[in-house]
Amino acid sequence: MSNLPVAQLLVEADVAREAAALDATWRDKSGVWGWLCAVEQKTIARRYIITTFLMFLAGGMEAALMRLQLARPENALIGPDRYNQLFTVHGTTMMFLFAVPMMQAMGLYLVPLMVGARSIAFPRLNAFGYWNYVVGVVFLYVSLFINMGPDTGWTAYVPLSGPAYSPGHRVDVWAQVVTFTEISALCGAVNLIVTVFKMRAPGMSLNRIPVFVWAQLVVAFMIVFAMPAVATGSTLMLALDRAVNTHWFNPAEGGDALLWQHIFWFFGHPEVYIIFLPAIGMITPIVETFCRRAVFGYTAMVMANITTAFFAFGLWVHHMFATPIPELGQSLFTAASMVIAVPTGIQIFCWIATLWGGRPRLTVPMLFVLGFLFTFINGGITGVMLASVAFDKEAHDTFFVVAHLHYVLIGGGLMPLFGAFYFWFPKLTGRLLNTALGKLHFWLFVIGTNVTFFPMHILGLNGMPRRIYTYAETTGWGTLNMLATVGALTIALSVLVFLINAVRSWFSGEHAGDNPWDAAGLEWATTSPPPSYNFVHTPVVRSRHPLWETTVEQPVVTGLRSDRREILLTTTFDAQPDSRHVGPDGSIWPLYVALCMGLLFIGSIFSPYSVLAGIGISLIGLFFWGWQSTQDVEVERVALPDGRMVDRL
Amino acid sequence: MHSFFDPASPQARAVAGLWWWMFGVGMVIWFGVFAVAMYAARQPHGQRGPDDLEHVSPERHRRMERVVAGAVFATILILCAFLVYDFSIGSVLAMHPKRALTIDVVGHQWWWEITYEDPNPSKRVGTANEIHVPVGELVQFKLRAADVIHSIWAPNLGGKKDLIPGYVSTLWFKADTAGVYRGQCTEFCGMQHAQMAFYIVAEPPVKFAGWLAAGSIPNPPPTDSLLLHGRDVFMQRGCASCHSIGGTDARATVGPDLTHFKGRAAIAAGSLSNTRANLTRWIQNPSALKPGVRMPALELSPGEMNALVSYLETLK
């Protein structure tokens, strides 16, 4: 008995030595060069989160400027040319440069931790995706500042966005910014799919995956199917129409103006769920943690996610009810649009059932969950209303739709995201966000959102169309618009409170410890912030809530080498240990290739030949990228906790 | 006067009925579900075990499963009711009338070209931005776009339809209350999308018939020397290269038909009331009032301007 403390000390010393060795292997190199070559999963994800948040601030400022212009009838603050750029860049930023990448960035940070992996499947591809996204961000905002911002709406309907009615390069900017988002979203999606399927901790069979990880997996597949549609539409057909005078969308030459809308919305409607599903995936761990019980109806929730993803691809025509397409076809899309309310309803009922059986602590993340319910349910109901062809023909393209889509995206996307910030901020930074400021932020945000967007329903039905920079006093829209502007400024204030809270807490917040909420997920099993290698020992999972297991001992995997970036791969269904994989180290080539691709796409606006040049210089980079990541690979035997020996690579 | 809540046609009334039904049901669901969620968040129900986790008894869990299944079932029922109601209205609205007064509407950046076709070309009536319709009669718009996509919607009369280049779409309604109903383009169509309004003037059939008959008869040529001068300015200083005036040599169709220009209540697609002062300001510098507008500013001397405006004012 007396030698136990000594053994304990020896074990701890072993762990410390192992940790130091792992850190030496996994850490990105320091210095500017090391910063540029970084591939560490959490480093890239952190940069992603910060950049996308800056995009949220930029998109928000554009919204505030628009609201100031619309506050009074016949206001002379912003002219039509600027205003049209503002609403286009606002939509493009929020959809392509904030919402989708932000949701994915949260996944890129959290998913490997949640499944107990050392890293992400393809770290260099991940870094490439990020740099590629940054090129798109810089491109859009430089264009806006030199008065070359796109001005035909984030939907860029042809023929308005075609060469005849949008000469110059503004729409080209839009088409290529979308390209950058497509590429980085696809990089992230592929990474997440492989990480979830092949890199889960042993024992985390498919039916034990956290709901958030399921949501990210489903969305990654949606991205793989949806993004190619818009890539074909914008990067290929629209860009070709504009650059080399093809006539895909030109009715005068046998093209079809309506074809664009089909292609765009085949992507555009799933896009909403690409934002919404990860967000509601964030709600489940928050509800579970603060009710201190497993979520009610895990299987139903996962199936609801998958069903939503399928139906999301069958609704796109409800954006086109006012076009001359056959009525019988329209009613099919009405029915489909209503059906999709069912899986969402199931999830909401399951959360309420979880709350009902629990004893919820109303922390700031939980407040945002309630804010989500209040705001999103309204957006969902107006969504069902808009599924009706007869009603949609009234409300389509009016402020009613503006109200609806903001209720859905703020309620169903931003509210859960803010909740998630409060919930996972301690994991990312090691410090807690301030609760008092958090509550202030919450109340200002919920009130601001409803004061801004609720009046817009009435404005829309009173005849106010979307995307107008001014309106006459005789329309009678002045009062409600002023109210909406006051609400928008309240939202701006709430975001400012959040910013202050985040910056203050990052530097001087209360220390969080590994698991401040006593949550159940694997991400809380490591330090806050997690080390470069995520876990000293890969954990072994025996239930859906590993950290709520009552046994004292947490089994782990040993035998992975710490002197190289070795990763344990497991089988797709049961997560049985399968083989080992050696991850690549840091490299400059992802950045180089991202810049070359940037030249390719941006150059293509000015000369089609830059595509050839861009491909040429990218190939050089890809050659070195592949060269560097080929490492010495040797077959080796490794012992697993169940005693099996594995020697495949 | 300009609102979906104040329907003036049977079609708009039917949709408004659907709306109020959806609104009522929606409000009950919105506040109902949220109230249940708040109640659940406030009330302690479960029992915390020695592991500090909430434990729910199997009976309780089963009961909850039944409640959730019931809620899902109720959702489906409500959606079905909704679908049936919607389809019953939709099928009525989707029927295309066999006989109706057909009016051609062409969307331009940024004005509406209106034509009342007639088998006899001399009876054809062309106008812009103001559509006269008879009360109590079916009216069908034949919609086309000249450049980009536009969308027509008069909230009081109901329905909205896109005007898409390469397609002909139709929209029909029957105004049952006389009045002037405003609408504006709802599909973003470029710089001046915000100022592309129109008025639908619903008037008794007799009055409408009179208006239509008068529409095909051009104004007699002016005799006054000032007005003759004004007409010469119109013909020689560029106006006639875009606009047409019935009974004269001006036959261009780039801009609105001005045959009975003074009979319209507004100019510049509903942006300004049709007064002499506004007309003068407009002709002097259209871009100052409607930035981006296709109509150029003409360099006219004060005398020419006075004559031109005086002439246009006679086109009743």
Side-chain angles (χ1 to χ4, degrees):
Chain A
M1 290 301 270
S2 59
N3 60 356
L4 192 66
V6 179
Q8 192 85 37
L9 278 176
L10 282 173
V11 171
E12 277 174 20
D14 273 353
V15 170
R17 205 165 36 242
E18 179 84 357
L22 281 168
D23 194 50
T25 305
W26 286 88
R27 179 173 289 283
D28 284 321
K29 291 192 175 56
S30 52
V32 176
W33 186 253
W35 195 85
L36 295 173
C37 294
V39 293
E40 205 245 288
Q41 164 242 334
K42 292 175 298 304
T43 307
I44 298 297
R46 205 167 47 234
R47 289 180 194 170
Y48 236 133
I49 292 171
I50 293 171
T51 321
T52 47
F53 193 77
L54 290 176
M55 282 297 98
F56 170 67
L57 297 181
M61 279 187 256
E62 286 140 21
L65 284 173
M66 287 191 282
R67 281 314 323 165
L68 288 176
Q69 163 65 14
L70 290 180
R72 288 185 298 137
E74 289 160 50
N75 200 352
L77 185 67
I78 301 169
D81 189 53
R82 256 304 162 195
Y83 188 89
N84 294 345
Q85 291 183 58
L86 278 178
F87 80 69
T88 303
V89 175
H90 167 75
T92 307
T93 301
M94 288 305 201
M95 296 301 274
F96 290 113
L97 302 179
F98 164 63
V100 172
M102 172 61 98
M103 293 303 168
Q104 216 172 33
M106 294 295 279
L108 292 171
Y109 193 98
L110 291 169
V111 164
L113 290 166
M114 285 179 164
V115 301
R118 283 228 190 283
S119 176
I120 197 139
F122 310 115
R124 288 189 181 178
L125 186 67
N126 197 27
F128 165 74
Y130 172 71
W131 289 121
N132 189 69
Y133 161 80
V134 171
V135 174
V137 165
V138 172
F139 180 44
L140 179 65
Y141 275 84
V142 168
S143 302
L144 181 65
F145 281 110
I146 61 172
N147 200 21
M148 204 171 84
D151 60 354
T152 57
W154 82 280
T155 50
Y157 274 15
V158 292
L160 181 63
S161 63
Y165 299 100
S166 289
H169 290 304
R170 287 179 169 185
V171 175
D172 296 320
V173 172
W174 181 86
Q176 298 310 334
V177 164
V178 175
T179 309
F180 290 113
T181 311
E182 288 150 11
I183 293 175
S184 55
L186 284 169
C187 292
V190 169
N191 247 319
L192 286 166
I193 291 172
V194 177
T195 306
V196 174
F197 274 161
K198 290 306 293 176
M199 292 170 65
R200 301 198 305 277
M204 189 184 274
S205 46
L206 281 186
N207 58 345
R208 289 178 184 162
I209 297 181
V211 176
F212 176 77
V213 176
W214 265 115
Q216 287 282 348
L217 178 67
V218 168
V219 164
F221 274 104
M222 292 183 75
I223 287 175
V224 169
F225 287 102
M227 287 291 174
V230 72
T232 310
S234 75
T235 312
L236 199 66
M237 298 165 85
L238 181 60
L240 283 176
D241 266 14
R242 295 184 57 86
V244 294
N245 289 317
T246 53
H247 295 292
W248 299 103
F249 303 123
N250 181 3
E253 299 290 338
D256 188 345
L258 208 48
L259 176 62
W260 167 261
Q261 297 185 26
H262 283 291
I263 295 173
F264 183 83
W265 288 115
F266 185 80
F267 143 83
H269 197 82
E271 162 99 342
V272 177
Y273 291 92
I274 287 170
I275 294 163
F276 171 64
L277 287 182
I280 61 171
M282 294 164 177
I283 289 174
T284 300
I286 295 174
V287 169
E288 283 186 324
T289 303
F290 296 112
C291 293
R292 298 208 49 77
R293 64 178 293 227
V295 71
F296 181 90
Y298 170 91
T299 312
M301 297 209 84
V302 172
M303 295 315 286
N305 261 318
I306 296 171
T307 320
T308 306
F310 271 104
F311 279 119
F313 284 91
L315 313 176
W316 79 94
V317 171
H318 75 206
H319 297 269
M320 301 165 62
F321 282 162
T323 61
I325 50 177
E327 272 97 4
L328 190 64
Q330 294 185 350
S331 38
L332 178 77
F333 287 92
T334 297
S337 310
M338 288 189 184
V339 166
I340 203 159
V342 175
T344 310
I346 290 175
Q347 302 200 50
I348 290 175
F349 299 142
C350 284
W351 289 316
I352 293 178
T354 314
L355 287 172
W356 198 284
R359 204 177 300 221
R361 268 200 299 149
L362 289 186
T363 54
V364 180
M366 277 299 273
L367 287 180
F368 275 102
V369 169
L370 294 177
F372 152 81
L373 283 174
F374 183 73
T375 318
F376 174 76
I377 292 175
N378 180 60
I381 288 169
T382 52
V384 172
M385 292 175 176
L386 289 169
S388 150
V389 176
F391 179 68
D392 184 74
K393 279 183 177 168
E394 306 290 338
H396 179 69
D397 269 335
T398 69
F399 261 63
F400 189 93
V401 168
V402 177
H404 158 72
L405 75 92
H406 284 91
Y407 263 91
V408 169
L409 290 171
I410 294 183
L414 260 183
M415 294 270 182
L417 184 69
F418 275 129
F421 282 159
Y422 284 88
F423 188 64
W424 280 298
F425 189 86
K427 186 45 68 184
L428 267 76
T429 63
R431 291 170 190 271
L432 291 160
L433 282 165
N434 180 292
T435 304
L437 283 175
K439 287 188 173 162
L440 181 64
H441 167 210
F442 168 76
W443 284 110
L444 286 175
F445 189 67
V446 167
I447 293 170
T449 301
N450 285 282
V451 171
T452 309
F453 297 106
F454 198 82
M456 291 187 187
H457 294 108
I458 305 165
L459 278 173
L461 294 179
N462 277 340
M464 183 166 170
R466 297 170 78 165
R467 298 171 169 174
I468 56 169
Y469 75 99
T470 190
Y471 51 93
E473 197 166 357
T474 48
T475 54
W477 300 331
T479 317
L480 288 176
N481 268 304
M482 179 56 92
L483 188 62
T485 302
V486 171
L489 297 178
T490 314
I491 296 179
L493 187 64
S494 81
V495 174
L496 185 68
V497 171
F498 173 74
L499 261 184
I500 293 170
N501 194 356
V503 173
R504 258 189 50 181
S505 304
W506 197 323
F507 294 106
S508 60
E510 196 186 324
H511 285 283
D514 292 359
N515 190 357
W517 315 115
D518 201 5
L522 277 185
E523 76 271 28
W524 303 102
T526 185
T527 55
S528 307
S532 53
Y533 46 89
N534 287 355
F535 301 91
V536 179
H537 296 297
T538 302
V540 173
V541 173
R542 289 177 299 195
S543 76
R544 273 178 207 155
H545 301 93
L547 302 197
W548 282 352
E549 288 287 295
T550 41
T551 50
V552 184
E553 288 289 315
Q554 286 285 348
V556 294
V557 177
T558 55
L560 286 172
R561 276 170 61 167
S562 52
D563 59 344
R564 61 179 196 182
R565 300 190 175 197
E566 211 161 80
I567 292 166
L568 178 69
L569 301 186
T570 52
T571 56
T572 305
F573 285 91
D574 298 328
Q576 294 294 324
D578 189 21
S579 61
R580 288 175 304 152
H581 167 76
V582 182
D585 52 0
S587 164
I588 194 66
W589 297 107
L591 173 58
Y592 170 84
V593 177
L595 290 175
C596 292
M597 299 278 268
L599 278 179
L600 188 165
F601 288 119
I602 298 170
S604 74
I605 291 175
F606 302 98
S607 158
Y609 294 105
S610 65
V611 173
L612 294 177
I615 290 174
I617 51 175
S618 299
L619 280 177
I620 298 171
L622 285 172
F623 175 76
F624 285 107
W625 176 337
W627 183 279
Q628 279 215 338
S629 59
T630 313
Q631 295 201 338
D632 55 325
V633 175
E634 68 215 61
V635 178
E636 213 179 336
R637 293 179 77 74
V638 59
L640 296 165
D642 59 1
R644 276 195 315 140
M645 300 295 279
V646 175
D647 63 2
R648 273 182 297 156
L649 263 174
Chain B
M1 65 138 196
H2 177 200
S3 173
F4 166 77
F5 299 115
D6 186 16
S9 76
Q11 292 73 36
R13 242 180 274 285
V15 184
L18 172 70
W19 152 257
W20 285 115
W21 185 84
M22 294 192 300
F23 175 75
V25 174
M27 278 291 175
V28 169
I29 294 172
W30 185 19
F31 287 106
V33 174
F34 187 69
V36 172
M38 285 304 282
Y39 180 76
R42 280 293 177 192
Q43 297 292 316
H45 292 281
Q47 280 156 5
R48 201 157 280 195
D51 51 1
D52 200 33
L53 295 177
E54 294 287 343
H55 290 274
V56 178
S57 66
E59 304 85 66
R60 213 187 149 73
H61 190 83
R62 266 196 298 280
R63 201 158 65 236
M64 215 116 81
E65 275 175 355
R66 280 199 295 276
V67 173
V68 169
V72 174
F73 188 65
T75 310
I76 294 171
L77 276 187
I78 293 170
L79 289 174
C80 287
F82 191 8
L83 205 59
V84 170
Y85 192 176
D86 171 53
F87 282 177
S88 68
I89 288 181
S91 62
V92 173
L93 297 186
M95 280 194 308
H96 292 276
K98 291 219 166 47
R99 230 194 322 226
L101 169 69
T102 301
I103 303 171
D104 282 348
V105 179
V106 182
H108 293 262
Q109 281 180 324
W110 293 278
W111 61 283
W112 306 88
E113 180 189 346
I114 317 293
T115 311
Y116 295 75
E117 282 298 346
D118 196 283
N120 177 354
S122 68
K123 292 259 175 81
R124 204 179 139 269
V125 175
T127 179
N129 305 324
E130 193 174 293
I131 310 170
H132 287 247
V133 298
V135 168
E137 281 179 28
L138 280 173
V139 174
Q140 179 167 269
F141 288 167
K142 215 167 97 191
L143 303 162
R144 287 177 296 122
D147 35 45
V148 302
I149 301 177
H150 304 275
S151 189
I152 192 167
W153 180 47
N156 305 65
L157 297 172
K160 178 183 284 118
K161 205 77 185 180
D162 288 351
L163 295 72
I164 302 180
Y167 287 84
V168 179
S169 42
T170 54
L171 175 72
W172 65 276
F173 61 88
K174 180 167 78 179
D176 57 12
T177 315
V180 179
Y181 304 107
R182 187 179 177 277
Q184 69 184 90
C185 178
T186 48
E187 181 67 68
F188 181 68
C189 56
M191 187 103 113
Q192 277 303 335
H193 165 59
Q195 300 196 66
M196 185 172 163
F198 61 90
Y199 290 92
I200 293 181
V201 181
E203 51 199 6
V206 179
K207 202 174 165 201
F208 169 75
W211 175 87
L212 191 64
S216 60
I217 303 165
N219 284 293
T223 45
D224 181 288
S225 68
L226 177 70
L227 301 182
L228 279 169
H229 179 41
R231 194 180 66 174
D232 289 344
V233 172
F234 188 92
M235 297 299 166
Q236 287 154 20
R237 296 302 304 271
C239 307
S241 51
C242 292
H243 295 281
S244 62
I245 294 177
T248 72
D249 291 339
R251 293 176 194 286
T253 55
V254 178
D257 185 306
L258 301 179
T259 308
H260 296 286
F261 166 74
K262 194 55 189 170
R264 306 204 280 260
I267 56 173
S271 313
L272 302 163
S273 58
N274 193 355
T275 62
R276 190 181 171 104
N278 278 340
L279 183 59
T280 311
R281 275 167 60 207
W282 173 250
I283 296 172
Q284 252 158 9
N285 191 358
S287 295
L289 301 169
K290 200 170 165 181
V293 70
R294 299 281 188 251
M295 177 163 152
L298 300 177
E299 307 250 320
L300 298 180
S301 69
E304 287 174 322
M305 179 64 84
N306 182 39
L308 176 64
V309 171
S310 302
Y311 170 64
L312 291 173
E313 293 271 296
T314 64
L315 300 176
K316 296 208 165 55

